Amino acid sequence: MKWLDSRLTFNNLRKKKSSNVMGPGEKNSVWFPSFVFENTKQKLKPSVDEKALMAVERKGSGNAADDTFTENKLLYSGHENPLHYERLDNVKFICTFQLAWYPFDVQHCQIVIGQTETMSNYVEQVPGNFSYEGPADLTQYLVMRTNMRRTFRNGKEQVQVKVILGRRL
């Protein structure tokens, strides 16, 4: 996930995002757009903890610091340089299989990412690039297609990641 925060200014960003990883104190001091995995049993809300990785991507150009700074550094605006959040986890999503057409069935499973009540007026969810990097050949099914799109449910904005599974015949 990535977002912009125009209130922030970053010092001396490197070209590679992996060189701009935030330490524990830094990542816990910046604003984090909370979200919820809607189709989990506990309505899981990811957080910024020791498993989370946050980094800044340098997209804008830096400006030399003025005379008020004692160090020689370049300052980068949070308006142009997005923060990235990554967190590896094992999450169980609710997916109801329709087996009426077995063994010719095709299953549509999804990950629904919604906004928390406090964020709905401040955050716009924009689907980005998505790629499934796991095995295409699963035990019972093949991963046929995946996609990501923005949806609205009960007046709430959501991002939906859909995985379409089919059987080997």
Side-chain angles (χ1 to χ4, degrees), residues 4-9 77-80:
L4 296 167
D5 191 337
S6 60
R7 300 169 297 174
L8 299 177
T9 301
S77 169
H79 179 71
E80 298 176 304

Side-chain angles (χ1 to χ4, degrees), residues 36-93:
V36 60
F37 289 119
E38 296 285 354
N39 59 330
T40 58
K41 198 180 233 183
Q42 303 84 9
K43 301 276 190 212
L44 181 66
K45 294 178 184 172
S47 61
V48 178
D49 58 11
E50 66 278 351
K51 292 182 185 178
L53 177 75
M54 286 181 72
V56 183
E57 179 184 6
R58 186 175 107 183
K59 284 201 166 185
S61 56
N63 296 314
D66 61 23
D67 296 348
T68 60
F69 292 93
T70 57
E71 303 98 15
N72 182 17
K73 59 184 170 182
L74 290 176
L75 303 175
Y76 293 84
S77 169
H79 179 71
E80 298 176 304
N81 302 284
L83 291 114
H84 288 253
Y85 168 86
E86 296 176 21
R87 188 172 187 276
L88 293 176
D89 210 339
N90 188 0
V91 177
K92 290 184 180 182
F93 293 93

Side-chain angles (χ1 to χ4, degrees), residues 100-124:
W101 289 92
Y102 175 84
F104 307 106
D105 56 320
V106 174
Q107 304 301 329
H108 295 252
C109 291
Q110 54 196 341
I111 299 169
V112 181
I113 305 165
Q115 299 175 352
T116 60
E117 287 297 322
T118 57
M119 291 293 114
S120 61
N121 293 327
Y122 306 104
V123 175
E124 177 185 5

